[in-house]
Amino acid sequence: MSQVQQAIDALVAAVKDSEEYKEYLRTKELISKYPLLKEQADKFLRQNYEMQNRNANLYEEGDRMRQEYREMFDNQIIWDCLNAENALCRILRQVNFSLLEELDFETAFDSN
C-alpha cells in the first residue's frame, strides 16, 4: 500500500472517529424516522446548493429562503441535522483547502 493511501485511510478513520461525524450520523438516523421533515430539509439543502452555484444575489436569495423555511428552522430535529451536516462539511472543506493550499497544483484556469 502506498504512503498516500495509508494517509488517506488514516484521515478517513480520523473523520469517522470525530464527534462531528458521529453527530452527523446520529442526526441523519433521527431525521430518517420523520420522512416529511427529511423531505423538507432535503428540499432546503437542494435549493441552498443551487442558489450558491448560480449567479444569484446571495443576500436577497438567502433572505427569501429564510422566510420560506422559517417554520422549518423552529424544528429542533431539522436544526440539529443541518448543524451536524454543516460541521462535517467544514471538516471536509478544511481537508480540501489544506491540500490545495499546501500543494503546488495549477489548473488551466488559474489567474496567476
Side-chain angles (χ1 to χ4, degrees), residues 65-81:
M65 285 183 66
R66 275 189 289 284
Q67 292 299 319
E68 182 179 344
Y69 290 98
R70 180 182 31 206
E71 289 179 21
M72 182 186 80
F73 290 121
D74 290 337
N75 184 295
Q76 193 64 46
I77 293 171
I78 290 178
W79 186 250
D80 290 348
C81 187

Side-chain angles (χ1 to χ4, degrees), residues 7 21 24 33 65 86 97 101:
Y21 184 69
Y24 169 76
K33 296 175 183 176
M65 285 183 66
N86 192 34
F97 180 77
E101 195 64 19

Side-chain angles (χ1 to χ4, degrees), residues 31 34-43 72 75 77-78:
I31 201 168
Y34 303 93
L36 292 177
L37 292 181
K38 180 160 179 14
E39 185 178 320
Q40 280 183 308
D42 289 347
K43 182 179 176 189
M72 182 186 80
N75 184 295
I77 293 171
I78 290 178

Side-chain angles (χ1 to χ4, degrees), residues 14-37:
V15 171
K16 285 182 173 181
D17 195 42
S18 71
E19 290 304 314
E20 292 88 349
Y21 184 69
K22 291 174 185 175
E23 180 66 6
Y24 169 76
L25 291 178
R26 186 191 71 74
T27 60
K28 181 180 167 187
E29 181 180 337
L30 178 61
I31 201 168
S32 71
K33 296 175 183 176
Y34 303 93
L36 292 177
L37 292 181

